[in-house]
Amino acid sequence: MSGLAQAQHTDGQPTLSERADALEEHMMHELEHIVTKSVLFGMADGKVEMESGPALMAKNPGKYMLMGEDPRLPKMPDKPTLIDYFRCRFASTSHLLQSATHALKGGHSEKVVLACLLHDIAVVSFIRCDHGYWGAQMIEPYVDEEVSWAIRAHQALRFFPDESAGYAYPDMYVKLFGPDYQPEPYIVEEYKRARNHKHYMTSRLICVNDIYSFDPNAKVNLDDFVDIIGRNFKQPKEGLGLDSSPSAHMWRTMLWPSRFL
Ligand SMILES: [Fe+2]
Ligand SMILES: [Fe+2]
C-alpha cells in the first residue's frame, strides 16, 4: 500500500501507520519513564516534527523524562569498551568481521586490519549518510591517525577504481545506485586530495577488503581481533563515551540514544 493510499484510508479501520503509532504509544506507557525520539529519527520517516516536553508530560501523567539508559536496549557495563559496543550496540558485525578477516589473511598490518574492522561502524550503529566521516570522528581520539584518516577517506575512494591496487568499481554499487550514479562534487574533491596523501594505500586497502558479497556461512569471530584492538585502540579508563575526548558524546549518544537531553 502506498503512503498516499494509507493516508486516505477511510473505512474506519486504523491505517498501518496509525496502528504503529498506537503500539509505540502503548509501549511508551509501559515504561517507567518517557522515552523521546530525536528529530533525526522522525526525519527518516519523512517527518520534520517533535513533541514538546510539556506535551509529553501531559500525555504521561506522573512520569519523568528518560535521562539515562533505555531499559529496552541491551544493558551496557558501567565502563564500556569498544568490544561492548560491538556486542550491544552494533546492529550487524558480520560485514566488519569479514572485511577484517580478509585483511588479516592477506597479511596486512594491524592498522589496516583495525581500519577494516571499524570502517563501517557508523553504518551499523549510528548514521548511514557520510558514514566514513562519522566513523572516523568517532574513533579519532583513540587510534593512530593512519586508521581514522583511512576510514574517513574510504567514503570517497570506494567510488573510484584503482586497478593497480586491485580495486574495481563494485558491481554492487551499480545494483544499489543504478548505472548513472555520480558522486557529489565534495566526494570528487575528497578523492583528489586523498590520492596524494601518505595514507592513501591504507584507505585503498579498506576498499580492497570491503566484502560486497556477504557470505552468510563465513566463520568470523570478534575474538580474533581482541588483541589487535587491545594494542591499537586506546580504551579510556572511564569507559568509552564516559571520558572527555572530543568524540565521547557520540559514544554516549549510542549508550543513551533516547535520552531527553
Ligand atoms: Fe563503507
Ligand atoms: Fe564496507
Side-chain angles (χ1 to χ4, degrees):
M1 191 191 285
S2 74
L4 191 61
Q6 265 190 47
Q8 290 175 340
H9 215 315
T10 52
D11 62 4
Q13 296 296 314
T15 64
L16 205 59
S17 79
E18 281 165 354
R19 271 185 288 166
D21 287 350
L23 180 66
E24 197 175 299
E25 179 119 1
H26 173 76
M27 281 174 66
M28 194 167 79
H29 286 285
E30 297 288 291
L31 293 165
E32 220 170 287
H33 288 91
I34 306 170
V35 176
T36 43
K37 271 190 185 171
S38 291
V39 173
L40 189 63
F41 302 178
M43 282 196 215
D45 291 326
K47 299 178 200 160
V48 184
E49 60 183 31
M50 61 188 281
E51 266 195 298
S52 71
L56 284 165
M57 299 286 283
K59 270 204 227 166
N60 296 272
K63 287 188 186 176
Y64 293 115
M65 296 295 176
L66 183 71
M67 284 299 284
E69 59 186 36
D70 186 329
R72 300 168 303 176
L73 290 173
K75 176 119 182 97
M76 290 283 275
D78 292 342
K79 293 182 178 177
T81 63
L82 179 64
I83 306 268
D84 294 318
Y85 283 92
F86 262 87
R87 299 219 159 101
C88 301
R89 287 295 183 273
F90 292 1
S92 172
T93 57
S94 57
H95 171 62
L96 296 174
L97 293 172
Q98 285 188 26
S99 293
T101 302
H102 203 247
L104 197 60
K105 286 188 180 152
H108 295 294
S109 72
E110 291 200 345
K111 285 185 188 129
V112 169
V113 174
L114 186 71
C116 290
L117 183 68
L118 302 180
H119 77 283
D120 283 340
I121 56 170
V123 172
V124 299
S125 69
F126 204 55
I127 296 174
R128 279 185 173 276
C129 174
D130 269 342
H131 73 285
Y133 296 90
W134 285 108
Q137 210 173 356
M138 285 159 73
I139 60 165
E140 208 138 47
Y142 312 106
V143 297
D144 190 278
E145 178 246 332
E146 179 180 343
V147 177
S148 52
W149 187 91
I151 290 178
R152 182 173 283 110
H154 102 277
Q155 175 84 37
L157 291 192
R158 71 217 163 97
F159 291 112
F160 299 90
D162 182 347
E163 306 285 354
S164 70
Y167 184 78
Y169 185 79
D171 292 339
M172 174 71 104
Y173 283 3
V174 180
K175 284 197 195 110
L176 288 173
F177 313 129
D180 301 327
Y181 176 75
Q182 292 293 331
E184 293 85 350
Y186 79 94
I187 290 287
V188 178
E189 289 306 311
E190 190 79 278
Y191 165 67
K192 286 186 196 155
R193 281 194 300 273
R195 261 313 310 177
N196 300 315
H197 195 276
K198 62 180 172 177
H199 297 318
Y200 168 77
M201 201 39 81
T202 309
S203 189
R204 184 50 86 188
L205 283 168
I206 293 179
C207 305
V208 171
N209 289 285
D210 215 342
I211 314 284
Y212 291 100
S213 47
F214 306 113
D215 176 1
N217 300 315
K219 291 255 178 300
V220 285
N221 196 333
L222 183 57
D223 292 342
D224 294 344
F225 303 100
V226 169
D227 290 345
I228 291 179
I229 291 172
R231 284 191 289 271
N232 295 277
F233 189 92
K234 291 178 217 97
Q235 167 66 34
K237 61 179 182 334
E238 304 90 339
L240 184 53
L242 304 174
D243 53 316
S244 57
S245 89
S247 69
H249 61 288
M250 297 168 80
W251 296 94
R252 279 197 298 276
T253 301
M254 282 187 280
L255 265 186
W256 309 313
S258 50
R259 256 178 73 140
F260 187 63
L261 288 178

